Every structure is written in C-alpha cells, then in structure tokens.
Amino acid sequence: MIKNDLFLKALNNETVERPPVWMMRQAGRYLPEFMELKNKYDFFTRCKTPELASEITVQPIRIVKPDAAILFSDILVIPQAMGIDVELEDGIGPILPNPIRSMKDVEQVRIPDINESLGYVMDAIDMTKEKLNNEVPLIGFAGSPWTIFCYAVEGKGSKSYDKAKGFCFSEPVAAHLLLQKITDTTIAYLKEKVKHGVNAVQIFDSWGGMLSPADYQEFSWQYINQIVEALADETKVIVFGKGCWFALGDMAKSKASALGVDWTCSPRNARYLTGGKITLQGNFDPSRLLSPIPIIKKMVHEMIDEFGKDNYIVNLGHGILPNIPVDHAKAFIEAVKEYKK
C-alpha cells in the first residue's frame, strides 16, 4: 500500500482534504543535485543507466517533497528503440540526423521488442520502486504519437513543425502508418511499465497545439485515444496536451482518468469544457515560480479555489524551468500542503 495516496485518490475521484501536487520535470535541471550528475554523465547515459535514472527520480521526493514521483526518462527513447537515431546537443536539444521523409523511410521503422530495446527503463522502475519504499506513487510516461512523429519527421525541435504537418498533408498514408507504428510501440511500452509497478501513466502531447482542431482529431487524438483505451483497464491514464484546450471536450469523453491543462486555459473554462466531472491537472505558469514566495503561495491558493480541491491535481502548466530557485519550487509544494478550505 502507498503511504501517501492522495494522488491516486484524486485520480479515483475521491474526496480529499487537500489536492495532491507534483511538478512536470520535477526531476531535473533546477536541482543542484541533478546538475552534479548532469556534469558527470551525458543525457542518454543518465536515461539508460538504471542506477542514475532511479536516483534522479527520487531526488525531488527527498528535496521538494511532492505527492508523486515521475520516472526520469525521455519521450525520445521510443524513436531510438524503433531504430531512429536520436542525439542530444547541449544548448540545441534533440537532433534526429536521419529524419523520416518518405514511405520508404517509414517502412524501415521497426516496432521493437520492448524488453530488448527498453529493458533499462524497466530496470529503472524496479530500482525506483525499491528506493521509494511505497512512500508515494510512481508515474510512468510517454510522448504522444503525434509529438514523437514531429521530432521524427522534422529532425529537431521547431516553432511550427511545418515539415511534420506538410508530410501529413502530402503523404497521409505514410504519415498514418508511422503514427500507428509509434502508437503500437507506445502501448506495449506503457503496458510493460505497468507490469513493473508504475501507479499511473501520463501521455505528453507537447506539440498537439500546432494542429487545427480537425487535424488534431485525425493526426493526434485518435492515436492518443488508442493508447488510453489499451491502458485504461490496467492503470490510471493522464493526458496532457499543451495548447489543446479545444480538444478537452473530446478528451473528457474518453477513458482517461485525468486531463492536464496549460496556463492559457482558465480553471473555469477547463471545468466548463470537460463537463465538470473529470479530474484536471495543472496549470500554474512555470515562469510564475520566479515571483516572490508570498505571491506564489497566494496564487496557488487562488488556483485551488478556482479548480476546487476535489477532482484536481496541482501541477504546473508545463515543465519546471531550469532557472527556478529551489526555495520557490518548495514554496509551490508547501502552498498546496498548507491549503485549507
């Protein structure tokens, strides 16, 4: 039994004294302890070494004390496992030197054996569960098929993902084949994570907001929903689409247990668009953690009042920034723990 099960209660729509809290990218660059390891080991070495990945996962549990841990990994381990080269360049971000640009390229992408290609992630889960000792739940995650597709086709990050969108519109058969391959791989990957003990999974649709509502249905949501349908009987699934407020109504009709909201959508609108019943997660602007601590605490309490304490998980509206002082991250967590209705 998990000792602090507030996060799981919120996913189960149970009444709580206060909402649970965690932060996207909480295992990361704002922590000096993380930077010590970053200076010793390159990014994918940290991801692929279970001892390091598990240590990084539990660092924020010890230091800022959120109500859930999220496994340290990266969404781009999936394309790597599928035979697509991924490199990480400091200051630039991910680079995929051989982007997918044709049906022939898509046909060469493989659906991997998860334990062969991503066994190191499962080992990291096993080690992390041991270190957490049932103190808090552990979240596993994956990128949405569309978000992985964007990197695979574009070859790097982009402000508009025009090449990825152009491939969808000019080569729809090839695009859908690649999206389906990513979806099938992601389902197998997340199911294996559940077998190894993660207590919930989150799907990050970082680039869904680049699509029009109609194109989102065709090239993103239908694939995310396949994952939700495949996992819903086995674990709790959170879907977070950045900039995807227009899809919240459809998402709320799915088997997802919770929906992430970014800071551009007000709590009131998020509740309205989702029908007021599903658990919501979010949506503090990460840059707002640079505000003075009393302001952070005041704004967090206001945010909880607006969302309501039940059917709600406090989080940021995207990942924590590397320049956030640790004291400010702690203040964000503490503000939730101090909340009284």
Side-chain angles (χ1 to χ4, degrees), residues 49 64 103 159 166 184 263 282:
T49 308
V64 296
M103 176 59 95
K159 286 185 177 170
D184 293 345
W263 65 91

Side-chain angles (χ1 to χ4, degrees), residues 9-77:
K9 282 181 172 173
L11 290 176
N12 278 323
N13 303 108
E14 293 177 36
T15 300
V16 291
E17 288 188 8
R18 67 161 176 89
V21 56
W22 67 281
M23 297 182 293
M24 289 183 275
R25 287 203 187 132
Q26 66 188 13
R29 307 163 290 180
Y30 70 106
L31 290 173
E33 293 84 350
F34 174 88
M35 294 307 291
E36 277 178 36
L37 293 174
K38 181 179 184 285
N39 293 334
K40 285 185 194 170
Y41 308 99
D42 70 68
F43 182 76
F44 282 115
T45 299
R46 279 173 276 143
C47 285
K48 294 181 179 184
T49 308
E51 292 82 359
L52 293 175
S54 61
E55 174 58 28
I56 291 166
T57 301
V58 300
Q59 279 179 348
I61 305 305
R62 298 182 193 131
I63 299 162
V64 296
K65 299 181 169 59
D67 295 310
I70 182 163
L71 187 74
F72 176 75
S73 186
D74 194 82
I75 64 171
L76 296 178
V77 300

Side-chain angles (χ1 to χ4, degrees), residues 248 261 265-281 304 306-313:
L248 285 171
V261 184
C265 184
S266 70
R268 183 179 175 182
N269 280 349
R271 287 287 182 210
Y272 172 75
L273 291 166
T274 56
K277 293 191 179 87
I278 194 167
T279 296
L280 296 178
Q281 176 177 277
I304 299 170
E306 287 179 49
F307 274 105
K309 74 170 175 67
D310 291 322
N311 299 343
Y312 177 46
I313 297 163

Side-chain angles (χ1 to χ4, degrees), residues 121-148:
V121 178
M122 308 312 148
D123 292 342
I125 292 170
D126 296 343
M127 286 188 190
T128 303
K129 292 289 286 184
E130 201 171 309
K131 287 177 180 173
L132 288 173
N133 194 27
N134 289 326
E135 289 294 332
V136 294
L138 177 63
I139 306 164
F141 71 90
S144 73
W146 164 251
T147 293
I148 302 300

Side-chain angles (χ1 to χ4, degrees), residues 44-298:
F44 282 115
T45 299
R46 279 173 276 143
C47 285
K48 294 181 179 184
T49 308
E51 292 82 359
L52 293 175
S54 61
E55 174 58 28
I56 291 166
T57 301
V58 300
Q59 279 179 348
I61 305 305
R62 298 182 193 131
I63 299 162
V64 296
K65 299 181 169 59
D67 295 310
I70 182 163
L71 187 74
F72 176 75
S73 186
D74 194 82
I75 64 171
L76 296 178
V77 300
I78 288 270
Q80 278 184 332
M82 297 176 79
I84 301 168
D85 289 338
V86 181
E87 298 162 6
L88 199 78
E89 291 193 21
D90 271 350
I92 297 173
I95 302 287
L96 290 76
N98 304 301
I100 307 291
R101 296 286 164 81
S102 67
M103 176 59 95
K104 188 181 172 191
D105 293 340
V106 173
E107 286 168 349
Q108 289 175 339
V109 174
R110 66 172 185 259
I111 297 174
D113 177 299
I114 297 301
N115 283 312
E116 267 179 33
S117 56
L118 291 160
Y120 62 86
V121 178
M122 308 312 148
D123 292 342
I125 292 170
D126 296 343
M127 286 188 190
T128 303
K129 292 289 286 184
E130 201 171 309
K131 287 177 180 173
L132 288 173
N133 194 27
N134 289 326
E135 289 294 332
V136 294
L138 177 63
I139 306 164
F141 71 90
S144 73
W146 164 251
T147 293
I148 302 300
F149 176 98
C150 280
Y151 285 110
V153 175
E154 204 81 26
K156 58 184 178 182
S158 164
K159 286 185 177 170
S160 58
Y161 288 98
D162 291 338
K163 289 188 179 75
K165 290 165 74 172
F167 188 57
C168 288
F169 306 149
S170 63
E171 302 274 355
V173 175
H176 282 298
L177 178 58
L178 180 54
L179 284 162
Q180 192 60 56
K181 283 185 171 187
I182 297 167
T183 302
D184 293 345
T185 302
T186 303
I187 288 169
Y189 176 59
L190 290 176
K191 284 193 167 203
E192 200 58 35
K193 283 188 168 181
V194 173
K195 277 186 202 164
H196 281 262
V198 299
N199 303 101
V201 297
Q202 176 157 312
I203 301 163
F204 285 87
D205 196 11
S206 304
W207 307 124
M210 297 289 161
L211 293 165
S212 72
D215 290 333
Y216 187 76
Q217 290 294 327
E218 181 176 355
F219 296 104
S220 186
W221 175 246
Q222 68 159 315
Y223 295 102
I224 292 174
N225 198 40
Q226 280 186 46
I227 300 169
V228 174
E229 291 275 335
L231 271 293
D233 289 341
E234 297 181 23
T235 194
K236 300 295 180 182
V237 183
I238 305 167
V239 177
F240 171 63
K242 187 170 182 289
C244 301
W245 62 268
F246 55 80
L248 285 171
D250 288 317
M251 290 176 175
K253 293 177 190 136
S254 74
K255 291 181 180 175
S257 294
L259 302 177
V261 184
D262 68 37
W263 65 91
T264 63
C265 184
S266 70
R268 183 179 175 182
N269 280 349
R271 287 287 182 210
Y272 172 75
L273 291 166
T274 56
K277 293 191 179 87
I278 194 167
T279 296
L280 296 178
Q281 176 177 277
N283 68 338
F284 203 76
D285 183 342
S287 299
R288 266 291 177 185
L289 291 180
L290 291 166
S291 299
I293 283 174
I295 301 287
I296 293 171
K297 292 198 169 186
K298 178 174 177 282

